[in-house]
Amino acid sequence: MIIKPRVRGFMCVTTHPVGCEANVKQQIDYVKSFGAIPNGPKNVLILGASTGYGLASRIVSAFGSGAKTLGVFFEREGTADKPGTPGWYNSAAFHKFAEAEGLYAKSINGDAFSDEIKQKTIDAIKQDLGKVDLVIYSLAAPRRTNPKTGITHNSTLKPIGKDLVQNGIDTDKEIIKSFTLPAATQEEIDNTVAVMGGEDWQMWIDELADADVLAEGAKTTAYTYLGEKITWDIYWDGTIGAAKKDLDKRVIDIRSKLATLGGDARVSVLKAVVTQASAAIPVMPLYLALLFKTMKAEGTHEGCIEQVNGLFRDSLYGATPILDDTGRLRADLKELQPQVQDKVNALWAQINNDNINELSDFAGYKHEFLKLFGFEVDGVDYDADVNPEAPIANLL
Protein backbone atom coordinates (compact mmCIF):
# COMPACT_ATOMS: atom_id res chain seq x y z
CA MET A 1 0.00 0.00 0.00
CA ILE A 2 1.24 3.49 -0.87
CA ILE A 3 0.05 5.85 1.87
CA LYS A 4 -0.27 9.61 1.45
CA PRO A 5 -1.52 12.15 4.01
CA ARG A 6 -5.22 13.02 3.98
CA VAL A 7 -5.97 15.84 6.40
CA ARG A 8 -9.45 16.76 7.61
CA GLY A 9 -9.58 19.63 10.06
CA PHE A 10 -7.39 18.85 13.05
CA MET A 11 -6.94 15.18 12.11
CA CYS A 12 -4.99 13.28 9.52
CA VAL A 13 -7.02 10.19 8.62
CA THR A 14 -4.05 8.24 7.26
CA THR A 15 -0.85 7.16 8.99
CA HIS A 16 2.50 6.02 7.62
CA PRO A 17 4.06 3.13 9.58
CA VAL A 18 7.58 3.61 8.23
CA GLY A 19 7.43 7.34 8.93
CA CYS A 20 6.27 6.72 12.50
CA GLU A 21 9.13 4.28 13.02
CA ALA A 22 11.66 6.77 11.66
CA ASN A 23 10.26 9.48 13.93
CA VAL A 24 10.60 7.22 16.98
CA LYS A 25 14.17 6.35 15.96
CA GLN A 26 15.06 10.06 15.73
CA GLN A 27 13.79 10.59 19.27
CA ILE A 28 15.72 7.59 20.56
CA ASP A 29 18.93 8.82 18.95
CA TYR A 30 18.41 12.27 20.49
CA VAL A 31 18.04 10.85 24.01
CA LYS A 32 21.01 8.50 23.64
CA SER A 33 23.22 11.40 22.57
CA PHE A 34 22.99 12.76 26.15
CA GLY A 35 24.22 9.58 27.78
CA ALA A 36 22.74 7.85 30.80
CA ILE A 37 20.56 9.65 33.36
CA PRO A 38 22.32 9.41 36.75
CA ASN A 39 20.13 7.55 39.27
CA GLY A 40 17.29 7.35 36.74
CA PRO A 41 14.21 5.11 37.00
CA LYS A 42 14.45 1.34 36.64
CA ASN A 43 10.85 0.11 36.31
CA VAL A 44 8.45 2.58 34.71
CA LEU A 45 4.71 2.53 34.09
CA ILE A 46 3.57 4.98 31.41
CA LEU A 47 -0.16 5.65 31.19
CA GLY A 48 -0.76 7.10 27.73
CA ALA A 49 2.48 5.73 26.30
CA SER A 50 1.88 5.87 22.56
CA THR A 51 2.04 9.50 21.44
CA GLY A 52 3.28 12.96 22.42
CA TYR A 53 4.68 13.48 25.89
CA GLY A 54 3.79 9.95 27.01
CA LEU A 55 5.75 8.37 24.17
CA ALA A 56 8.66 10.73 24.86
CA SER A 57 8.57 9.68 28.52
CA ARG A 58 8.80 6.04 27.55
CA ILE A 59 11.72 6.71 25.21
CA VAL A 60 13.61 8.75 27.81
CA SER A 61 13.00 6.11 30.50
CA ALA A 62 14.21 3.24 28.33
CA PHE A 63 16.99 4.78 26.29
CA GLY A 64 18.10 7.39 28.80
CA SER A 65 17.97 5.22 31.89
CA GLY A 66 17.85 1.63 30.66
CA ALA A 67 14.50 1.22 32.40
CA LYS A 68 12.05 -1.60 31.92
CA THR A 69 8.84 0.00 30.65
CA LEU A 70 5.23 -1.08 30.75
CA GLY A 71 3.04 1.09 28.53
CA VAL A 72 -0.73 1.47 28.55
CA PHE A 73 -2.54 2.99 25.57
CA PHE A 74 -5.73 2.68 23.50
CA GLU A 75 -4.87 2.38 19.81
CA ARG A 76 -6.10 0.69 16.63
CA GLU A 77 -3.94 -1.85 14.82
CA GLY A 78 -3.44 -1.58 11.07
CA THR A 79 -4.94 -4.15 8.72
CA ALA A 80 -4.00 -5.24 5.20
CA ASP A 81 -6.20 -2.55 3.70
CA LYS A 82 -6.33 0.17 6.35
CA PRO A 83 -3.57 1.95 8.30
CA GLY A 84 -3.67 1.87 12.08
CA THR A 85 -3.40 4.84 14.41
CA PRO A 86 -0.11 6.71 14.86
CA GLY A 87 0.14 5.50 18.45
CA TRP A 88 -0.01 1.88 17.33
CA TYR A 89 2.89 2.34 14.90
CA ASN A 90 4.86 4.41 17.42
CA SER A 91 4.50 1.64 19.98
CA ALA A 92 5.40 -1.08 17.49
CA ALA A 93 8.55 0.88 16.63
CA PHE A 94 9.41 1.47 20.29
CA HIS A 95 9.11 -2.26 20.98
CA LYS A 96 11.29 -3.09 17.98
CA PHE A 97 14.11 -0.78 19.05
CA ALA A 98 13.85 -1.59 22.76
CA GLU A 99 13.95 -5.31 22.17
CA ALA A 100 16.91 -4.93 19.78
CA GLU A 101 18.86 -3.45 22.70
CA GLY A 102 17.69 -6.05 25.20
CA LEU A 103 15.35 -3.67 27.03
CA TYR A 104 12.19 -5.03 28.63
CA ALA A 105 9.11 -3.55 26.96
CA LYS A 106 5.53 -4.74 27.24
CA SER A 107 2.28 -2.94 26.51
CA ILE A 108 -1.41 -3.15 27.29
CA ASN A 109 -3.93 -1.87 24.74
CA GLY A 110 -7.22 -0.86 26.31
CA ASP A 111 -9.21 1.70 28.27
CA ALA A 112 -6.87 2.93 31.00
CA PHE A 113 -9.82 4.44 32.85
CA SER A 114 -11.33 0.98 33.44
CA ASP A 115 -10.89 -1.29 36.45
CA GLU A 116 -10.12 -4.15 34.07
CA ILE A 117 -7.04 -2.47 32.61
CA LYS A 118 -5.88 -1.28 36.02
CA GLN A 119 -5.99 -4.86 37.30
CA LYS A 120 -4.31 -6.21 34.17
CA THR A 121 -1.53 -3.68 34.66
CA ILE A 122 -1.08 -4.59 38.32
CA ASP A 123 -0.91 -8.29 37.42
CA ALA A 124 1.78 -7.57 34.81
CA ILE A 125 3.83 -5.54 37.28
CA LYS A 126 3.66 -8.31 39.89
CA GLN A 127 4.63 -10.97 37.38
CA ASP A 128 7.45 -9.20 35.55
CA LEU A 129 8.66 -6.17 37.48
CA GLY A 130 7.74 -6.70 41.10
CA LYS A 131 7.34 -2.98 41.69
CA VAL A 132 7.59 0.25 39.70
CA ASP A 133 9.56 3.30 40.77
CA LEU A 134 8.03 5.82 38.33
CA VAL A 135 4.47 6.30 37.12
CA ILE A 136 3.91 8.73 34.25
CA TYR A 137 0.33 9.91 33.78
CA SER A 138 -0.12 11.26 30.25
CA LEU A 139 -3.62 10.25 29.22
CA ALA A 140 -5.49 12.43 26.72
CA ALA A 141 -9.00 11.32 25.82
CA PRO A 142 -12.25 13.01 24.80
CA ARG A 143 -14.37 10.90 27.15
CA ARG A 144 -14.12 8.75 30.24
CA THR A 145 -16.41 6.21 31.84
CA ASN A 146 -15.98 6.33 35.61
CA PRO A 147 -15.53 2.69 36.65
CA LYS A 148 -17.14 3.29 40.04
CA THR A 149 -20.31 5.05 38.83
CA GLY A 150 -20.61 3.74 35.27
CA ILE A 151 -21.27 7.31 34.08
CA THR A 152 -19.61 8.37 30.82
CA HIS A 153 -18.32 11.94 30.82
CA ASN A 154 -17.47 13.91 27.67
CA SER A 155 -14.97 16.78 27.69
CA THR A 156 -15.45 20.13 25.93
CA LEU A 157 -13.16 22.92 24.76
CA LYS A 158 -14.98 26.04 25.93
CA PRO A 159 -14.34 29.26 27.86
CA ILE A 160 -15.80 29.74 31.32
CA GLY A 161 -17.96 32.69 32.33
CA LYS A 162 -18.17 34.37 28.92
CA ASP A 163 -18.56 33.68 25.23
CA LEU A 164 -15.26 33.94 23.38
CA VAL A 165 -14.42 35.33 19.97
CA GLN A 166 -10.78 34.79 19.10
CA ASN A 167 -8.62 34.60 16.01
CA GLY A 168 -7.14 31.34 14.87
CA ILE A 169 -6.03 29.53 11.72
CA ASP A 170 -8.47 27.61 9.60
CA THR A 171 -5.94 24.87 8.93
CA ASP A 172 -7.86 23.48 5.94
CA LYS A 173 -8.08 26.82 4.09
CA GLU A 174 -4.89 28.25 5.65
CA ILE A 175 -6.51 31.57 6.49
CA ILE A 176 -6.95 33.63 9.64
CA LYS A 177 -10.53 33.57 10.90
CA SER A 178 -12.50 34.31 14.02
CA PHE A 179 -13.74 31.39 16.07
CA THR A 180 -16.74 31.87 18.33
CA LEU A 181 -17.07 29.62 21.34
CA PRO A 182 -20.00 29.83 23.77
CA ALA A 183 -19.37 29.78 27.50
CA ALA A 184 -19.45 26.34 29.10
CA THR A 185 -22.28 25.28 31.34
CA GLN A 186 -21.46 24.01 34.82
CA GLU A 187 -22.28 20.49 33.64
CA GLU A 188 -19.77 20.82 30.80
CA ILE A 189 -17.12 22.09 33.21
CA ASP A 190 -17.76 19.21 35.61
CA ASN A 191 -17.66 16.65 32.80
CA THR A 192 -14.37 18.02 31.47
CA VAL A 193 -12.83 17.87 34.94
CA ALA A 194 -14.07 14.27 35.25
CA VAL A 195 -12.33 13.33 31.98
CA MET A 196 -9.14 15.39 32.09
CA GLY A 197 -8.66 16.16 35.77
CA GLY A 198 -6.81 14.25 38.44
CA GLU A 199 -9.40 11.75 39.64
CA ASP A 200 -8.19 8.90 37.46
CA TRP A 201 -4.54 9.65 38.26
CA GLN A 202 -5.39 9.40 41.95
CA MET A 203 -7.32 6.16 41.35
CA TRP A 204 -4.29 4.66 39.62
CA ILE A 205 -1.90 5.58 42.44
CA ASP A 206 -4.34 4.37 45.10
CA GLU A 207 -4.77 1.00 43.40
CA LEU A 208 -1.06 0.58 42.71
CA ALA A 209 -0.29 1.41 46.34
CA ASP A 210 -2.99 -0.91 47.67
CA ALA A 211 -1.61 -3.71 45.50
CA ASP A 212 1.89 -3.04 46.91
CA VAL A 213 3.49 -2.57 43.50
CA LEU A 214 5.03 0.86 44.18
CA ALA A 215 8.71 0.73 45.11
CA GLU A 216 10.34 2.60 47.95
CA GLY A 217 11.01 6.13 46.72
CA ALA A 218 8.49 5.79 43.88
CA LYS A 219 7.68 8.95 41.96
CA THR A 220 4.75 9.97 39.81
CA THR A 221 4.05 12.95 37.60
CA ALA A 222 1.16 14.15 35.46
CA TYR A 223 1.64 16.64 32.66
CA THR A 224 -0.02 20.01 32.36
CA TYR A 225 0.19 23.22 30.35
CA LEU A 226 -0.17 26.75 31.70
CA GLY A 227 0.84 29.01 28.83
CA GLU A 228 0.45 32.79 28.86
CA LYS A 229 -2.32 35.37 28.46
CA ILE A 230 -2.93 34.78 24.73
CA THR A 231 -4.20 31.25 25.39
CA TRP A 232 -5.68 31.67 28.85
CA ASP A 233 -9.28 32.39 27.80
CA ILE A 234 -9.62 29.07 26.01
CA TYR A 235 -7.07 27.09 27.98
CA TRP A 236 -6.12 27.92 31.57
CA ASP A 237 -9.28 29.90 32.28
CA GLY A 238 -11.45 27.54 30.23
CA THR A 239 -12.79 24.03 30.74
CA ILE A 240 -9.41 22.40 30.09
CA GLY A 241 -7.82 24.69 32.65
CA ALA A 242 -10.45 23.68 35.21
CA ALA A 243 -9.38 20.09 34.67
CA LYS A 244 -5.70 20.95 34.93
CA LYS A 245 -6.34 22.90 38.15
CA ASP A 246 -7.89 19.70 39.49
CA LEU A 247 -4.49 18.04 39.00
CA ASP A 248 -3.00 20.67 41.30
CA LYS A 249 -5.55 19.77 43.98
CA ARG A 250 -5.26 16.01 43.63
CA VAL A 251 -1.47 15.95 43.65
CA ILE A 252 -1.42 17.02 47.31
CA ASP A 253 -3.14 13.82 48.45
CA ILE A 254 -1.12 11.71 46.00
CA ARG A 255 2.11 13.24 47.33
CA SER A 256 1.03 12.49 50.87
CA LYS A 257 0.37 8.85 49.99
CA LEU A 258 3.75 8.42 48.29
CA ALA A 259 5.53 10.16 51.16
CA THR A 260 4.92 7.01 53.23
CA LEU A 261 7.19 5.23 50.74
CA GLY A 262 9.72 8.03 50.69
CA GLY A 263 8.40 8.97 47.26
CA ASP A 264 7.01 12.06 45.61
CA ALA A 265 4.24 13.27 43.29
CA ARG A 266 4.44 16.36 41.10
CA VAL A 267 2.55 18.04 38.32
CA SER A 268 5.01 18.85 35.53
CA VAL A 269 4.43 21.91 33.36
CA LEU A 270 5.55 21.48 29.74
CA LYS A 271 5.60 23.94 26.85
CA ALA A 272 3.13 24.18 23.99
CA VAL A 273 3.86 21.64 21.25
CA VAL A 274 1.97 20.15 18.33
CA THR A 275 -0.02 17.15 19.49
CA GLN A 276 -3.28 15.62 18.31
CA ALA A 277 -4.91 17.16 21.39
CA SER A 278 -3.50 20.69 20.94
CA ALA A 279 -4.45 20.70 17.24
CA ALA A 280 -8.11 20.49 18.28
CA ILE A 281 -7.98 23.74 20.32
CA PRO A 282 -8.96 26.58 17.95
CA VAL A 283 -6.40 29.14 19.09
CA MET A 284 -3.43 26.78 19.39
CA PRO A 285 -2.33 26.29 15.75
CA LEU A 286 -1.96 30.08 15.33
CA TYR A 287 -0.26 30.49 18.69
CA LEU A 288 2.09 27.60 17.94
CA ALA A 289 2.96 28.96 14.50
CA LEU A 290 3.91 32.31 16.08
CA LEU A 291 5.71 30.64 18.97
CA PHE A 292 7.75 28.46 16.60
CA LYS A 293 8.76 31.51 14.61
CA THR A 294 9.89 33.32 17.75
CA MET A 295 11.59 30.48 19.60
CA LYS A 296 13.43 29.24 16.50
CA ALA A 297 14.81 32.76 16.08
CA GLU A 298 15.87 32.67 19.75
CA GLY A 299 17.42 29.23 19.32
CA THR A 300 15.19 27.81 22.08
CA HIS A 301 12.59 25.84 20.12
CA GLU A 302 11.83 22.40 21.59
CA GLY A 303 9.43 19.56 20.90
CA CYS A 304 8.16 16.73 23.09
CA ILE A 305 11.37 14.74 23.28
CA GLU A 306 13.54 17.75 24.12
CA GLN A 307 11.12 18.83 26.85
CA VAL A 308 10.82 15.42 28.50
CA ASN A 309 14.54 14.68 28.23
CA GLY A 310 15.21 17.96 30.03
CA LEU A 311 12.50 17.32 32.61
CA PHE A 312 13.97 13.94 33.57
CA ARG A 313 17.56 15.13 33.70
CA ASP A 314 16.98 18.54 35.32
CA SER A 315 14.07 17.93 37.66
CA LEU A 316 12.64 14.43 38.07
CA TYR A 317 16.13 13.01 38.61
CA GLY A 318 18.17 16.19 38.92
CA ALA A 319 19.92 17.39 42.03
CA THR A 320 18.17 20.79 41.92
CA PRO A 321 14.64 20.38 40.52
CA ILE A 322 13.13 23.43 38.82
CA LEU A 323 10.04 24.16 40.95
CA ASP A 324 7.54 27.00 41.00
CA ASP A 325 5.95 28.42 44.14
CA THR A 326 3.12 25.88 44.01
CA GLY A 327 5.48 22.92 43.83
CA ARG A 328 5.07 22.12 40.15
CA LEU A 329 8.09 21.00 38.13
CA ARG A 330 8.73 23.48 35.30
CA ALA A 331 10.12 22.69 31.87
CA ASP A 332 8.26 25.48 30.05
CA LEU A 333 10.23 28.53 31.14
CA LYS A 334 11.82 29.19 27.74
CA GLU A 335 8.33 29.63 26.26
CA LEU A 336 7.37 32.09 28.98
CA GLN A 337 10.43 34.33 28.74
CA PRO A 338 9.16 37.95 28.49
CA GLN A 339 10.91 38.66 25.18
CA VAL A 340 9.32 35.54 23.65
CA GLN A 341 5.81 36.35 24.81
CA ASP A 342 6.17 40.04 23.87
CA LYS A 343 7.21 39.06 20.36
CA VAL A 344 4.36 36.56 20.00
CA ASN A 345 1.88 39.20 21.17
CA ALA A 346 3.26 41.74 18.70
CA LEU A 347 3.03 39.27 15.82
CA TRP A 348 -0.48 38.26 16.89
CA ALA A 349 -1.63 41.87 16.48
CA GLN A 350 -0.14 42.14 12.99
CA ILE A 351 -0.90 38.80 11.37
CA ASN A 352 -3.41 38.49 8.53
CA ASN A 353 -4.04 36.35 5.46
CA ASP A 354 -1.47 38.24 3.40
CA ASN A 355 1.45 37.87 5.80
CA ILE A 356 0.66 34.56 7.54
CA ASN A 357 3.71 32.80 6.12
CA GLU A 358 5.98 35.80 6.68
CA LEU A 359 5.09 36.52 10.32
CA SER A 360 4.49 32.95 11.48
CA ASP A 361 6.06 29.56 11.02
CA PHE A 362 2.84 27.97 9.83
CA ALA A 363 4.92 25.80 7.51
CA GLY A 364 6.79 24.51 10.56
CA TYR A 365 3.51 23.88 12.35
CA LYS A 366 2.16 21.87 9.41
CA HIS A 367 5.40 19.91 9.22
CA GLU A 368 5.24 18.99 12.92
CA PHE A 369 1.54 18.12 12.59
CA LEU A 370 2.17 15.73 9.69
CA LYS A 371 5.11 14.15 11.53
CA LEU A 372 2.63 13.05 14.21
CA PHE A 373 1.15 10.76 11.57
CA GLY A 374 4.46 9.62 10.11
CA PHE A 375 4.65 12.03 7.17
CA GLU A 376 7.43 14.46 6.16
CA VAL A 377 9.99 12.51 8.18
CA ASP A 378 13.51 12.74 6.76
CA GLY A 379 14.79 9.66 4.97
CA VAL A 380 11.42 8.04 4.27
CA ASP A 381 10.38 7.15 0.70
CA TYR A 382 6.70 8.04 0.59
CA ASP A 383 6.29 6.61 -2.90
CA ALA A 384 7.31 3.14 -1.74
CA ASP A 385 4.85 0.35 -1.03
CA VAL A 386 4.50 -0.27 2.73
CA ASN A 387 2.79 -2.89 4.84
CA PRO A 388 0.19 -1.31 7.17
CA GLU A 389 0.26 -4.37 9.41
CA ALA A 390 2.70 -4.00 12.31
CA PRO A 391 2.10 -6.49 15.11
CA ILE A 392 3.42 -5.80 18.61
CA ALA A 393 4.92 -9.04 19.92
CA ASN A 394 4.84 -8.19 23.63
CA LEU A 395 1.28 -6.88 23.74
CA LEU A 396 -0.40 -8.31 26.81
Side-chain angles (χ1 to χ4, degrees), residues 224-238:
T224 196
Y225 175 68
L226 270 63
E228 255 293 351
K229 293 179 181 178
I230 279 184
T231 61
W232 280 355
D233 281 345
I234 189 57
Y235 201 96
W236 190 245
D237 290 335

Side-chain angles (χ1 to χ4, degrees), residues 357-370:
N357 290 311
E358 175 191 350
L359 297 189
S360 79
D361 186 22
F362 186 51
Y365 170 86
K366 290 189 294 181
H367 173 67
E368 292 298 322
F369 174 80
L370 287 173

Side-chain angles (χ1 to χ4, degrees), residues 102-363:
L103 294 168
Y104 171 100
K106 290 190 178 180
S107 295
I108 295 170
N109 190 31
D111 179 7
F113 297 133
S114 69
D115 285 340
E116 175 191 359
I117 294 300
K118 288 182 174 69
Q119 187 57 54
K120 192 172 186 178
T121 302
I122 288 168
D123 292 343
I125 294 170
K126 286 182 175 180
Q127 178 175 319
D128 290 0
L129 305 176
K131 298 186 178 186
V132 294
D133 55 7
L134 176 63
V135 180
I136 298 291
Y137 191 88
S138 186
L139 295 179
R143 66 188 59 83
R144 168 181 173 242
T145 298
N146 186 312
K148 308 307 178 188
T149 66
I151 297 172
T152 297
H153 303 274
N154 292 284
S155 63
T156 58
L157 303 170
K158 289 186 176 182
I160 292 176
K162 61 182 178 181
D163 296 345
L164 179 65
V165 179
Q166 195 166 42
N167 282 346
I169 296 179
D170 182 324
T171 53
D172 286 336
K173 298 178 180 178
E174 299 190 6
I175 60 172
I176 305 294
K177 64 177 287 187
S178 290
F179 292 86
T180 302
L181 295 171
T185 65
Q186 188 59 51
E187 182 180 10
E188 289 173 325
I189 297 168
D190 294 342
N191 279 326
T192 304
V193 171
V195 177
M196 303 175 71
E199 182 180 42
D200 184 63
W201 181 27
Q202 189 165 9
M203 284 181 171
W204 268 102
I205 298 303
D206 284 346
E207 295 197 26
L208 293 167
D210 291 346
D212 193 27
V213 293
L214 294 176
E216 287 290 323
K219 299 181 180 184
T220 185
T221 192
Y223 295 142
T224 196
Y225 175 68
L226 270 63
E228 255 293 351
K229 293 179 181 178
I230 279 184
T231 61
W232 280 355
D233 281 345
I234 189 57
Y235 201 96
W236 190 245
D237 290 335
T239 52
I240 303 176
K244 296 302 184 182
K245 290 167 187 173
D246 188 63
L247 291 177
D248 290 331
K249 297 175 184 176
R250 301 271 184 175
V251 73
I252 296 170
D253 287 339
I254 298 172
R255 188 180 302 145
S256 177
K257 171 156 284 197
L258 290 188
T260 64
L261 296 171
D264 194 21
R266 298 286 163 179
V267 172
S268 293
V269 188
L270 303 174
K271 75 175 283 288
V273 294
V274 182
T275 64
Q276 293 180 57
S278 68
I281 304 171
V283 69
M284 290 306 290
L286 177 56
Y287 174 74
L288 285 163
L290 297 173
L291 185 68
F292 285 8
K293 179 83 169 181
T294 304
M295 293 190 73
K296 286 178 180 179
E298 292 265 329
T300 57
H301 174 70
E302 292 180 333
C304 287
I305 196 66
E306 292 87 358
Q307 281 276 286
V308 172
N309 186 60
L311 175 73
F312 271 61
R313 295 175 189 274
D314 297 337
S315 291
L316 277 174
Y317 295 95
T320 54
I322 303 168
L323 291 162
D324 64 19
D325 56 6
T326 65
R328 304 186 195 99
L329 298 177
R330 301 300 293 259
D332 64 331
L333 299 182
K334 293 176 184 176
E335 175 187 355
L336 301 185
Q337 288 178 337
Q339 74 272 19
V340 170
Q341 288 300 313
D342 288 348
K343 183 64 174 177
V344 170
N345 275 284
L347 292 171
W348 187 281
Q350 301 169 48
I351 198 164
N352 56 49
N353 293 335
D354 295 328
N355 60 23
I356 185 172
N357 290 311
E358 175 191 350
L359 297 189
S360 79
D361 186 22
F362 186 51

Side-chain angles (χ1 to χ4, degrees), residues 28-66:
I28 290 170
D29 290 345
Y30 174 83
V31 171
K32 290 171 70 173
S33 72
F34 286 81
I37 299 171
N39 303 310
K42 300 306 176 189
N43 296 324
V44 183
L45 171 63
I46 305 99
L47 305 169
S50 55
T51 61
Y53 280 128
L55 173 64
S57 301
R58 191 171 199 184
I59 290 170
V60 173
S61 297
F63 294 94
S65 189

